[in-house]
Amino acid sequence: MLSTEEKKQYNRHLILDQIGLEGQEKLKKAKVLVIGAGGLGCPILQYLTAAGVGTIGIIDNDVVDQSNLQRQILYTHDDIGQPKAEVAATKLRRLNPFVHFKIHIEMLSKSNALTLFKAYDIIIDGSDNFPTRYLVNDAAVLTKKPLVFGAIFKFEGQVSVFNYNNGPTYRCLYPTPPQPGAVPNCSDIGVLGVLPGVIGSFQASEAIKIICGIGIPLSGQLLTYDMLSHRQLLLEFDKTENAQLTTLETDYEFFCGIHTHINKDEISLETLEAALQDYNLLDVRELWERENYHIGGQHIPLDELETRSHEIKTSKPLVVYCQSGLRSSRAIEILNELNFKTPLLKLKGQL
């Protein structure tokens, strides 16, 4: 039952024929888990909170960084260095004190995904990498939870609903992951700040539709949106045998081609600077990134590496660097495939 204050809070929902008191009470009873409190997570969380979803889980182990503020609109300069999940919940409680928040300051992993998902009715994926997307999909399938998917890339976004009423899943649409580094994340390639607000709002609306039983969820459909032209395209896809799962993958990073042995051969910027004379450097970013800032060394963009690998200096161990490490990992894979003999290391952390 809604209290008098809740009825005041949700008045504009209550007067909608499609929602009304019954729909609002469904929202109050609903439990939704949001994966990530970043660019997509911020608008998702704000609109679910405003709508009156009774229990909202937030899982994110990251802290607020200044570079987040261009698009992650829940945060301010005062929040830099603080855990995103905690900051988000604190601010959202001010928006709606009738919502209960469960904070999970941890990474979603194979060891916790199934247990977490069982405690919620709907899963919303606001992650930004393929290992997590496949893990989220598989855990949702195994726990029989509908999954609201969103993704962003520069000026374009995608939205869909997977595993709704045993419908098509993420693996039906994307049976295999792309090559590592083939689809950079926003820290490598950039993203228009308002785009996650649009896509995250679409995701929140899909969750509300599912909870209230209104409209037509994007099950078996992928909505693509181009911010520069405002063009939208609705692609239909069917359920395939890829939807059938019996267990989680052993290692999702390995499944997505991210080989953990590369990550062991890392060097921190502090260590590198202290012994710079002992290493050669290779910058695999784009030219405009290098012109903006670099730490020296040769410059060969990742997409030119195979044809220009003969130009790389081999007199010392080679440290490869980019913005976030994804392209560096792919560059080391390419050089290993070319039987590059010089010891290879990746710069640890973000540049």
Side-chain angles (χ1 to χ4, degrees):
M1 297 289 292
L2 300 182
S3 67
T4 301
E5 289 301 309
E6 287 174 299
K7 289 178 180 178
K8 290 180 183 178
Q9 183 100 2
Y10 309 129
N11 173 264
R12 299 304 190 271
H13 271 179
L14 297 177
I15 60 178
L16 280 174
D17 291 340
Q18 295 91 336
I19 297 182
L21 181 61
E22 181 181 356
Q24 194 62 50
E25 289 179 343
K26 288 179 180 179
L27 287 167
K28 183 176 180 178
K29 294 176 183 177
K31 298 177 181 179
V32 177
L33 177 64
V34 179
I35 313 295
L40 291 172
C42 284
I44 292 168
L45 289 165
Q46 285 177 295
Y47 277 108
L48 292 182
T49 300
V53 171
T55 300
I56 299 176
I58 309 171
I59 179 166
D60 195 310
N61 74 327
D62 200 8
V63 298
V64 179
D65 182 82
Q66 188 172 357
S67 65
N68 301 150
L69 304 182
Q70 165 254 11
R71 64 201 177 281
Q72 298 181 21
I73 53 176
L74 271 174
Y75 312 119
T76 68
H77 276 263
D78 293 337
D79 303 317
I80 292 173
Q82 301 300 311
K84 289 182 181 179
E86 283 189 354
V87 174
T90 297
K91 295 187 176 183
L92 293 167
R93 289 187 185 103
R94 298 174 193 158
L95 171 63
N96 192 342
F98 308 112
V99 174
H100 174 61
F101 294 95
K102 293 184 177 181
I103 303 171
H104 308 279
I105 304 179
E106 57 186 316
M107 287 187 65
L108 186 73
S109 66
K110 178 184 174 183
S111 63
N112 63 16
L114 296 177
T115 301
L116 276 172
F117 284 24
K118 288 176 183 177
Y120 294 90
D121 305 315
I122 296 174
I123 312 301
I124 305 185
D125 187 4
S127 65
D128 63 356
N129 63 85
F130 288 98
T132 302
R133 288 171 184 163
Y134 280 97
L135 170 60
V136 170
N137 173 81
D138 295 357
V141 170
L142 293 173
T143 56
K144 297 180 170 56
K145 307 293 182 179
L147 167 61
V148 181
F149 164 79
I152 52 176
F153 181 79
K154 297 175 72 172
F155 301 98
E156 300 177 1
Q158 299 179 346
V159 185
S160 189
V161 174
F162 300 124
N163 203 44
Y164 177 68
N165 289 339
N166 201 33
T169 73
Y170 182 74
R171 285 182 182 265
C172 300
L173 187 61
Y174 300 110
T176 57
Q179 285 289 321
V183 184
N185 61 30
C186 66
S187 64
D188 288 314
I189 204 68
V191 63
L192 184 66
V194 299
L195 178 63
V198 174
I199 301 303
S201 297
F202 281 155
Q203 289 179 267
S205 69
E206 289 301 302
I208 292 169
K209 284 159 56 180
I210 292 170
I211 293 167
C212 294
I214 60 175
I216 303 173
L218 287 170
S219 177
Q221 297 178 312
L222 178 72
L223 174 67
T224 66
Y225 177 79
D226 182 349
M227 178 65 75
L228 294 181
S229 65
H230 291 302
R231 290 179 180 170
Q232 299 183 43
L233 182 64
L234 200 59
L235 304 173
E236 296 190 357
F237 60 97
D238 296 321
K239 187 173 181 178
T240 70
E241 61 183 12
N242 295 307
Q244 305 303 317
L245 296 170
T246 57
T247 186
L248 297 177
E249 296 281 350
T250 301
D251 186 330
Y252 279 88
E253 290 200 341
F254 184 82
F255 171 72
C256 291
I258 303 172
H259 302 306
T260 54
H261 73 272
I262 291 175
N263 295 332
K264 295 178 182 178
D265 299 322
E266 294 181 331
I267 184 171
S268 69
L269 185 58
E270 292 77 15
T271 301
L272 177 64
E273 289 175 338
L276 194 57
Q277 70 279 1
D278 298 329
Y279 300 95
N280 290 323
L281 304 183
L282 176 64
D283 182 353
V284 295
R285 300 174 301 160
E286 297 299 317
L287 179 60
W288 66 267
E289 295 176 275
R290 183 174 177 84
E291 290 175 343
N292 186 46
Y293 174 75
H294 66 86
I295 58 173
Q298 288 181 271
H299 174 238
I300 302 178
L302 180 63
D303 58 5
E304 300 177 18
L305 189 59
E306 286 193 56
T307 58
R308 296 179 57 190
S309 63
H310 63 280
E311 301 176 21
I312 300 174
K313 297 176 181 178
T314 59
S315 56
K316 303 174 184 177
L318 182 68
V319 176
V320 186
Y321 70 92
C322 62
Q323 175 64 29
S324 67
L326 285 176
R327 284 174 287 180
S328 300
S329 294
R330 180 56 185 152
I332 290 175
E333 285 189 340
I334 291 171
L335 293 175
N336 281 328
E337 290 167 1
L338 295 172
N339 294 315
F340 199 76
K341 301 303 181 184
T342 300
L344 300 169
L345 298 95
K346 184 180 78 171
L347 187 65
K348 184 178 182 180
Q350 293 199 351
L351 188 63

